Amino acid sequence: MDLVFNEVSFHPLANNEYILSEKFIEMLKLYDKTRKEHGYKHLIFPVNIGDIRVSQNMTFTQWVYSIKNQSYKNKILSVPFIRPFADKVLAERLEDLNRFYYVNETAGIQEEYCTGLATAYIKDKIALSLATAECWNTPKVRFKEIINEQLDTVDVEVCNITSEDHILDETVSNKLMYSGEMKLDVCEVPFDDKPLTLSGDHHGNNKLEAFGKKILKNKYVCAVINNIDFTPQAIRFIKEINSDGTIAIVLYWENAGYGMMIQTTGRNYRETAEIAKILQNEFDR
């Protein structure tokens, strides 16, 4: 699950390298947020990122090594040079890059080839942009695709993130949640060390404890967190799925509807929902 850096968002080129550093760090904070909340693992950059001009006087490499704030410098250098780059991600469709360009006369951007936006479009991914101009402050970025030898074009667009508001945008949020290949992590805690916590003298604890010991054997379950309120009217095993990896389950076959909250390895709603399906298939009656 990858985001794609929109290198055209260095435009309009900065006159102040310090402000550019601030904007780049803010963008990386958004990237970290998608990693923590949605499980994204990589930010794809153009293979020539080091040579791309980012200010009136400097390329990316020159700019980064000129940054005096060591914390900023280390943070920025830790991201762009991790493989794979866009050329490897595009593979057999690499030649298609020449068909796409971005233009915005208001922002002073004249027909710039756009590796990041094109990669996001071709591979159905989300772009991540710097907040350097109003044209990037949108949950969707529109650009041009050349469709024939006569150089006719059509408008195409990709989902884009420049602020936390964009992460909350319905279209972007859904794409963050459901796009990309999903790989579920397993719990590394040995079974004997997995916590099983139930409240004091809660009625039905003996049955919950017995069931908890069973479900903790599942490789995606890390802990039984606590009891939940009785749900005698429940007719389903899965009561609640949360984006933080917790799942509320109910032993609905018991008249009192005993239930518990468990912690799984799910890092977002999509992964947690997939784990819930696995648990339901394994433990539901």
Side-chain angles (χ1 to χ4, degrees), residues 40 46 48 54 65 69 103 106 146 148 162 186 196 203 232 247:
Y40 279 73
N48 66 332
V54 301
Y65 283 101
N69 185 316
V103 58
T106 302
I146 300 170
N148 55 35
T162 320
V186 300
L196 198 169
H203 182 59
I247 300 174

Side-chain angles (χ1 to χ4, degrees), residues 219-276:
K219 62 184 179 181
Y220 303 117
V221 178
C222 300
V224 173
I225 299 173
N226 208 344
N227 317 63
I228 61 173
D229 293 338
F230 293 160
T231 315
Q233 72 277 16
I235 58 173
R236 294 183 178 87
F237 178 63
I238 303 296
K239 180 181 180 181
E240 181 180 305
I241 300 170
N242 301 302
S243 59
D244 63 357
T246 56
I247 300 174
I249 61 175
V250 179
L251 311 188
Y252 65 91
W253 51 85
E254 299 288 346
N255 290 335
Y258 307 129
M260 65 176 70
M261 186 71 74
I262 62 172
Q263 179 67 57
T264 73
T265 59
R267 295 165 297 179
N268 52 57
Y269 185 88
R270 181 190 181 199
E271 291 184 359
T272 311
E274 187 65 23
I275 292 171

Side-chain angles (χ1 to χ4, degrees), residues 27-37 75 79:
M27 184 194 73
L28 293 183
K29 288 179 181 178
L30 293 173
Y31 170 54
D32 285 340
K33 188 175 181 68
T34 67
R35 295 177 69 186
K36 293 175 183 176
E37 296 185 2
K75 179 68 173 175
V79 179

Side-chain angles (χ1 to χ4, degrees), residues 37-284:
E37 296 185 2
H38 297 280
Y40 279 73
K41 293 183 176 180
H42 189 66
L43 183 56
I44 299 170
F45 283 80
V47 69
N48 66 332
I49 180 65
D51 298 325
I52 290 175
R53 187 159 295 280
V54 301
S55 74
Q56 298 293 340
N57 305 311
M58 295 184 181
T59 64
F60 182 88
T61 299
Q62 291 170 335
W63 162 63
V64 173
Y65 283 101
S66 74
I67 296 173
K68 295 180 180 179
N69 185 316
Q70 193 63 42
S71 176
Y72 278 13
K73 182 185 294 186
N74 292 342
K75 179 68 173 175
I76 294 171
L77 284 174
S78 69
V79 179
F81 302 107
I82 300 174
R83 299 177 185 275
F85 293 107
D87 61 330
K88 295 299 182 184
V89 172
L90 288 167
E92 72 280 357
R93 298 200 60 183
L94 182 60
E95 292 184 1
D96 291 345
L97 282 181
N98 294 329
R99 302 202 329 260
F100 298 90
Y101 66 90
Y102 181 85
V103 58
N104 189 305
E105 294 182 2
T106 302
I109 304 172
Q110 303 294 331
E111 297 189 9
E112 290 282 338
Y113 284 114
C114 47
T115 297
L117 294 176
T119 302
Y121 178 74
I122 293 169
K123 304 302 289 186
D124 194 24
K125 297 180 183 294
I126 299 173
L128 186 63
S129 299
L130 295 164
T132 51
E134 189 60 32
C135 61
W136 306 123
N137 187 27
T138 171
K140 289 185 179 179
V141 172
R142 185 169 294 179
F143 52 107
K144 301 289 185 180
E145 179 184 9
I146 300 170
I147 58 173
N148 55 35
E149 293 182 358
Q150 287 71 44
L151 303 183
D152 294 324
T153 65
V154 295
D155 288 341
V156 295
E157 65 181 17
V158 296
C159 287
N160 175 64
I161 298 173
T162 320
S163 70
E164 290 197 18
D165 288 343
H166 299 158
I167 294 176
L168 299 175
D169 176 84
E170 183 177 3
T171 302
V172 176
S173 177
N174 286 338
K175 195 170 185 65
L176 280 169
M177 188 178 300
Y178 294 107
S179 67
E181 185 177 346
M182 180 169 56
K183 182 180 179 181
L184 301 178
D185 287 341
V186 300
C187 182
E188 300 294 341
V189 179
F191 167 71
D192 291 339
D193 295 331
K194 291 183 178 181
L196 198 169
T197 305
L198 299 170
S199 59
D201 296 323
H202 199 290
H203 182 59
N205 269 6
N206 56 336
K207 293 183 178 180
L208 287 173
E209 183 176 359
F211 188 83
K213 290 179 179 178
K214 291 181 181 179
I215 204 166
L216 284 174
K217 293 179 180 178
N218 182 277
K219 62 184 179 181
Y220 303 117
V221 178
C222 300
V224 173
I225 299 173
N226 208 344
N227 317 63
I228 61 173
D229 293 338
F230 293 160
T231 315
Q233 72 277 16
I235 58 173
R236 294 183 178 87
F237 178 63
I238 303 296
K239 180 181 180 181
E240 181 180 305
I241 300 170
N242 301 302
S243 59
D244 63 357
T246 56
I247 300 174
I249 61 175
V250 179
L251 311 188
Y252 65 91
W253 51 85
E254 299 288 346
N255 290 335
Y258 307 129
M260 65 176 70
M261 186 71 74
I262 62 172
Q263 179 67 57
T264 73
T265 59
R267 295 165 297 179
N268 52 57
Y269 185 88
R270 181 190 181 199
E271 291 184 359
T272 311
E274 187 65 23
I275 292 171
K277 290 180 184 178
I278 293 170
L279 297 179
Q280 184 166 339
N281 289 336
E282 185 174 350
F283 297 103
D284 191 3

